[in-house]
Amino acid sequence: MFSLILITSGPTIEPIDPVRFLSNRSSGLTGYHLAMEARARGLGPVTFVTGPTTWLPTGVEIVRVETALEMRAAVNERRARADVVIMAAAVSDYRSVKYYPEKMKKSGERITLELAKNPDILLEAGRHKPRGQVLVGFAAETEDIFVNAQKKVRDKNLDLLVLNEISAANPAFGREANQVFLVRPDGMRRLERMSKTLIAAHIWDEIIALAGRRAEGAP
Ligand code: C5P
């Protein structure tokens, strides 16, 4: 059905010195289920660009990366050929300005680590989105979640945003179940709390419906 499905997954890790890095709590479970669901439905070849995670799907091309800059290079090389791009990775927003080639020694009571902003891989993909491509992003928000989500859909030129509300009632990271909203430029839908396997199935239903409308001539 699709000629190439490109999925990013997992966290990125940003090295500070040979033994330390900055990262986040992403498990890579959602990206894993999205890739496995695409395989199970026979939707087309999948390239899975992933940061360090134990959740590696089978029967897909795996491209392992560590840093945001490596993930960006891997995605930018491939995204123009993909008809579906799903960015489920939790990319580190910042990296250490400096890489210390020797293990940093303990020094004063306080030290300062200078951080530089990483490029937004999804934003770049939205800016260069080829005609007909379905571009899907994720967002984890804690405040003004709907306003921020609609803004993200517009700013990043997305066809679909999977919105997680991160709260005590919905601790999504690393859990098997989650409650999400599917946000499109023209509206949104709340999914009940359900397993990430089922969420992946709902996301694919939505993508297939979007791709179908494209094929009928919708923008
Ligand atoms: O803007 P925010 O980081 O909340 O957006 C999250 C979405 O953007 C996710 O789909 C994530 O994979 C993507 N992203 C990215 N590159 C970044 C930061 C986020 O592709 N540097």
Side-chain angles (χ1 to χ4, degrees), residues 2-184:
F2 298 116
S3 53
L4 179 64
I5 297 162
L6 182 62
I7 300 177
T8 70
S9 188
T12 66
I13 63 172
E14 311 294 332
I16 299 168
D17 71 14
V19 297
R20 302 185 179 94
F21 58 79
L22 297 170
S23 193
N24 59 66
R25 292 186 191 277
S26 167
S27 64
L29 200 52
T30 299
Y32 166 86
H33 285 307
L34 284 164
M36 293 302 273
E37 183 69 17
R39 284 286 301 152
R41 294 191 189 191
L43 295 178
V46 176
T47 296
F48 192 77
V49 178
T50 181
T53 170
T54 51
W55 289 98
L56 295 173
T58 48
V60 307
E61 184 199 9
I62 306 246
V63 181
R64 292 171 195 259
V65 297
E66 291 207 331
T67 66
L69 293 178
E70 288 168 7
M71 184 170 278
R72 177 209 215 179
V75 167
N76 285 0
E77 229 174 80
R78 295 166 173 85
R79 62 170 152 68
R81 280 179 278 126
D83 26 29
V84 179
V85 176
I86 309 177
M87 300 234 189
V91 182
S92 305
D93 289 323
Y94 291 90
R95 65 180 180 276
S96 176
V97 167
K98 229 182 116 182
Y99 175 73
Y100 297 84
E102 305 295 337
K103 183 179 170 207
M104 285 171 78
K105 292 264 181 288
K106 269 199 284 289
S107 53
E109 288 302 311
R110 289 183 181 206
I111 58 167
T112 302
L113 183 67
E114 198 182 352
L115 303 181
K117 200 167 198 172
N118 272 327
D120 189 324
I121 306 165
L122 181 59
L123 181 76
E124 289 177 359
R127 286 203 176 130
H128 300 105
K129 186 166 71 174
R131 215 183 139 69
Q133 182 183 82
V134 177
L135 180 61
V136 183
F138 280 71
E141 303 282 355
T142 56
E143 51 188 341
D144 294 335
I145 65 165
F146 300 118
V147 176
N148 285 330
Q150 291 290 0
K151 184 172 175 338
K152 209 157 280 182
V153 166
R154 275 197 310 276
D155 292 352
K156 299 196 184 190
N157 196 19
L158 306 181
D159 301 290
L160 182 65
L161 178 77
V162 183
L163 170 64
N164 288 281
E165 180 178 15
I166 301 297
S167 64
N170 189 43
F173 280 92
R175 301 297 174 96
E176 176 43 39
N178 194 6
Q179 192 270 304
V180 301
F181 299 85
L182 300 184
V183 185
R184 294 189 318 267

